[in-house]
Short mmCIF file of all heavy atoms in Angstrom, two decimals:
data_model
loop_
_atom_site.label_atom_id
_atom_site.label_comp_id
_atom_site.label_asym_id
_atom_site.label_seq_id
_atom_site.Cartn_x
_atom_site.Cartn_y
_atom_site.Cartn_z
N THR A 124 0.83 -1.21 0.00
CA THR A 124 0.00 0.00 0.00
C THR A 124 0.86 1.25 0.00
O THR A 124 0.57 2.22 -0.72
CB THR A 124 -0.94 -0.01 1.21
OG1 THR A 124 -1.93 -1.02 1.02
CG2 THR A 124 -1.63 1.33 1.40
N LEU A 125 1.91 1.27 0.81
CA LEU A 125 2.78 2.44 0.86
C LEU A 125 3.42 2.70 -0.50
O LEU A 125 3.51 3.86 -0.95
CB LEU A 125 3.86 2.25 1.93
CG LEU A 125 3.38 2.42 3.37
CD1 LEU A 125 4.46 1.94 4.35
CD2 LEU A 125 3.02 3.87 3.67
N ALA A 126 3.86 1.64 -1.19
CA ALA A 126 4.46 1.81 -2.52
C ALA A 126 3.44 2.39 -3.49
O ALA A 126 3.73 3.31 -4.27
CB ALA A 126 5.00 0.47 -3.03
N TRP A 127 2.23 1.85 -3.45
CA TRP A 127 1.17 2.35 -4.33
C TRP A 127 0.85 3.81 -4.03
O TRP A 127 0.70 4.63 -4.95
CB TRP A 127 -0.07 1.48 -4.16
CG TRP A 127 -1.31 2.05 -4.79
CD1 TRP A 127 -2.34 2.68 -4.16
CD2 TRP A 127 -1.63 2.06 -6.18
NE1 TRP A 127 -3.29 3.07 -5.07
CE2 TRP A 127 -2.88 2.70 -6.32
CE3 TRP A 127 -1.00 1.57 -7.32
CZ2 TRP A 127 -3.49 2.88 -7.55
CZ3 TRP A 127 -1.61 1.76 -8.55
CH2 TRP A 127 -2.84 2.40 -8.65
N GLU A 128 0.75 4.15 -2.76
CA GLU A 128 0.39 5.51 -2.39
C GLU A 128 1.49 6.51 -2.73
O GLU A 128 1.21 7.68 -2.99
CB GLU A 128 0.07 5.58 -0.89
CG GLU A 128 -1.24 4.89 -0.51
CD GLU A 128 -2.47 5.58 -1.10
OE1 GLU A 128 -2.40 6.79 -1.41
OE2 GLU A 128 -3.50 4.91 -1.27
N ILE A 129 2.75 6.07 -2.70
CA ILE A 129 3.84 6.95 -3.11
C ILE A 129 3.66 7.35 -4.57
O ILE A 129 3.74 8.53 -4.93
CB ILE A 129 5.19 6.26 -2.88
CG1 ILE A 129 5.54 6.27 -1.38
CG2 ILE A 129 6.31 6.92 -3.69
CD1 ILE A 129 6.66 5.35 -1.00
N HIS A 130 3.41 6.37 -5.42
CA HIS A 130 3.19 6.68 -6.83
C HIS A 130 1.94 7.54 -7.01
O HIS A 130 1.93 8.50 -7.79
CB HIS A 130 3.06 5.39 -7.64
CG HIS A 130 4.37 4.69 -7.86
ND1 HIS A 130 5.37 5.22 -8.63
CD2 HIS A 130 4.83 3.49 -7.40
CE1 HIS A 130 6.41 4.39 -8.66
NE2 HIS A 130 6.10 3.33 -7.92
N ARG A 131 0.88 7.21 -6.30
CA ARG A 131 -0.36 7.98 -6.44
C ARG A 131 -0.16 9.43 -6.01
O ARG A 131 -0.64 10.36 -6.67
CB ARG A 131 -1.48 7.34 -5.60
CG ARG A 131 -2.85 8.00 -5.82
CD ARG A 131 -3.96 7.08 -5.37
NE ARG A 131 -4.12 7.09 -3.94
CZ ARG A 131 -5.00 7.88 -3.29
NH1 ARG A 131 -5.76 8.72 -3.97
NH2 ARG A 131 -5.12 7.82 -2.00
N PHE A 132 0.55 9.64 -4.90
CA PHE A 132 0.80 10.99 -4.40
C PHE A 132 1.48 11.84 -5.46
O PHE A 132 1.05 12.97 -5.75
CB PHE A 132 1.67 10.92 -3.14
CG PHE A 132 2.04 12.26 -2.57
CD1 PHE A 132 1.20 12.90 -1.66
CD2 PHE A 132 3.23 12.87 -2.93
CE1 PHE A 132 1.55 14.14 -1.13
CE2 PHE A 132 3.59 14.11 -2.40
CZ PHE A 132 2.74 14.74 -1.50
N PHE A 133 2.55 11.33 -6.04
CA PHE A 133 3.30 12.13 -7.01
C PHE A 133 2.59 12.22 -8.35
O PHE A 133 2.58 13.29 -8.99
CB PHE A 133 4.71 11.56 -7.18
CG PHE A 133 5.60 11.79 -5.98
CD1 PHE A 133 6.12 10.73 -5.28
CD2 PHE A 133 5.88 13.08 -5.56
CE1 PHE A 133 6.94 10.93 -4.17
CE2 PHE A 133 6.69 13.30 -4.46
CZ PHE A 133 7.22 12.22 -3.76
N GLN A 134 1.96 11.15 -8.79
CA GLN A 134 1.28 11.18 -10.09
C GLN A 134 0.12 12.16 -10.07
O GLN A 134 -0.12 12.87 -11.06
CB GLN A 134 0.80 9.78 -10.47
CG GLN A 134 1.91 8.79 -10.78
CD GLN A 134 2.70 9.14 -12.03
OE1 GLN A 134 2.16 9.71 -12.98
NE2 GLN A 134 3.99 8.82 -12.03
N GLU A 135 -0.60 12.21 -8.97
CA GLU A 135 -1.73 13.14 -8.88
C GLU A 135 -1.27 14.59 -8.85
O GLU A 135 -2.08 15.50 -9.09
CB GLU A 135 -2.57 12.83 -7.64
CG GLU A 135 -3.37 11.53 -7.75
CD GLU A 135 -4.19 11.24 -6.52
OE1 GLU A 135 -3.98 11.93 -5.48
OE2 GLU A 135 -5.04 10.33 -6.56
N ARG A 136 0.01 14.82 -8.56
CA ARG A 136 0.54 16.18 -8.52
C ARG A 136 1.39 16.51 -9.74
O ARG A 136 2.11 17.51 -9.76
CB ARG A 136 1.35 16.37 -7.22
CG ARG A 136 0.46 16.46 -5.99
CD ARG A 136 1.20 16.15 -4.71
NE ARG A 136 0.31 16.29 -3.55
CZ ARG A 136 -0.59 15.38 -3.19
NH1 ARG A 136 -0.73 14.26 -3.89
NH2 ARG A 136 -1.36 15.58 -2.13
N GLY A 137 1.29 15.66 -10.76
CA GLY A 137 1.95 15.96 -12.02
C GLY A 137 3.44 15.66 -12.07
O GLY A 137 4.14 16.17 -12.96
N PHE A 138 3.95 14.84 -11.17
CA PHE A 138 5.37 14.49 -11.19
C PHE A 138 5.62 13.40 -12.24
O PHE A 138 4.79 12.52 -12.45
CB PHE A 138 5.81 13.97 -9.82
CG PHE A 138 6.11 15.04 -8.80
CD1 PHE A 138 5.10 15.86 -8.32
CD2 PHE A 138 7.40 15.21 -8.32
CE1 PHE A 138 5.37 16.84 -7.38
CE2 PHE A 138 7.68 16.18 -7.38
CZ PHE A 138 6.67 17.01 -6.90
N LEU A 139 6.80 13.46 -12.85
CA LEU A 139 7.24 12.45 -13.81
C LEU A 139 8.08 11.41 -13.08
O LEU A 139 9.02 11.74 -12.36
CB LEU A 139 8.07 13.10 -14.91
CG LEU A 139 8.55 12.18 -16.03
CD1 LEU A 139 7.44 11.92 -17.02
CD2 LEU A 139 9.77 12.80 -16.74
N TYR A 140 7.75 10.13 -13.27
CA TYR A 140 8.51 9.04 -12.65
C TYR A 140 9.72 8.74 -13.52
O TYR A 140 9.59 8.38 -14.69
CB TYR A 140 7.59 7.81 -12.52
CG TYR A 140 8.24 6.59 -11.92
CD1 TYR A 140 9.24 6.68 -10.96
CD2 TYR A 140 7.83 5.32 -12.32
CE1 TYR A 140 9.81 5.54 -10.41
CE2 TYR A 140 8.38 4.17 -11.78
CZ TYR A 140 9.38 4.28 -10.82
OH TYR A 140 9.94 3.16 -10.28
N VAL A 141 10.92 8.86 -12.95
CA VAL A 141 12.16 8.68 -13.68
C VAL A 141 12.91 7.46 -13.14
O VAL A 141 13.10 7.33 -11.93
CB VAL A 141 13.07 9.93 -13.55
CG1 VAL A 141 14.38 9.71 -14.30
CG2 VAL A 141 12.36 11.16 -14.08
N HIS A 142 13.33 6.59 -14.05
CA HIS A 142 14.15 5.44 -13.67
C HIS A 142 15.62 5.85 -13.74
O HIS A 142 16.20 5.90 -14.82
CB HIS A 142 13.88 4.25 -14.59
CG HIS A 142 12.48 3.75 -14.50
ND1 HIS A 142 11.66 3.64 -15.59
CD2 HIS A 142 11.74 3.35 -13.44
CE1 HIS A 142 10.47 3.18 -15.20
NE2 HIS A 142 10.51 3.00 -13.91
N THR A 143 16.21 6.15 -12.62
CA THR A 143 17.61 6.56 -12.59
C THR A 143 18.51 5.32 -12.57
O THR A 143 18.09 4.25 -12.15
CB THR A 143 17.88 7.45 -11.37
OG1 THR A 143 17.42 6.79 -10.19
CG2 THR A 143 17.17 8.77 -11.51
N PRO A 144 19.76 5.47 -13.02
CA PRO A 144 20.63 4.29 -13.17
C PRO A 144 21.01 3.64 -11.85
O PRO A 144 21.18 4.30 -10.83
CB PRO A 144 21.86 4.84 -13.90
CG PRO A 144 21.83 6.30 -13.67
CD PRO A 144 20.40 6.69 -13.51
N ILE A 145 21.17 2.32 -11.89
CA ILE A 145 21.64 1.55 -10.74
C ILE A 145 23.17 1.49 -10.75
O ILE A 145 23.80 1.46 -9.70
CB ILE A 145 21.01 0.15 -10.74
CG1 ILE A 145 19.53 0.25 -10.40
CG2 ILE A 145 21.72 -0.79 -9.77
CD1 ILE A 145 18.77 -1.05 -10.48
N ILE A 146 23.77 1.51 -11.93
CA ILE A 146 25.22 1.55 -12.05
C ILE A 146 25.64 2.99 -12.30
O ILE A 146 25.10 3.66 -13.19
CB ILE A 146 25.71 0.64 -13.18
CG1 ILE A 146 25.33 -0.82 -12.88
CG2 ILE A 146 27.21 0.77 -13.37
CD1 ILE A 146 25.67 -1.78 -14.00
N THR A 147 26.61 3.47 -11.54
CA THR A 147 27.01 4.87 -11.62
C THR A 147 28.51 5.00 -11.43
O THR A 147 29.16 4.09 -10.91
CB THR A 147 26.27 5.71 -10.56
OG1 THR A 147 26.67 7.07 -10.65
CG2 THR A 147 26.57 5.22 -9.16
N THR A 148 29.06 6.13 -11.83
CA THR A 148 30.49 6.40 -11.62
C THR A 148 30.71 7.44 -10.54
O THR A 148 31.84 7.84 -10.28
CB THR A 148 31.15 6.89 -12.92
OG1 THR A 148 30.46 8.06 -13.38
CG2 THR A 148 31.10 5.83 -13.99
N GLY A 149 29.64 7.90 -9.88
CA GLY A 149 29.77 8.92 -8.86
C GLY A 149 29.18 8.48 -7.53
O GLY A 149 28.44 7.50 -7.44
#
């Protein structure tokens, strides 16, 4: 439920969901 509500909270406010990289150099 918490995971679902996190997405719902941001999606209802017009936020874009971005998949950021798991492998990084920084």
Side-chain angles (χ1 to χ4, degrees):
T124 290
L125 285 169
W127 168 258
E128 289 294 336
I129 284 166
H130 285 293
R131 186 161 78 94
F132 177 87
F133 288 119
Q134 291 294 328
E135 289 180 349
R136 288 159 178 78
F138 279 66
L139 182 79
Y140 179 33
V141 179
H142 297 124
T143 53
I145 289 175
I146 298 175
T147 180
T148 57

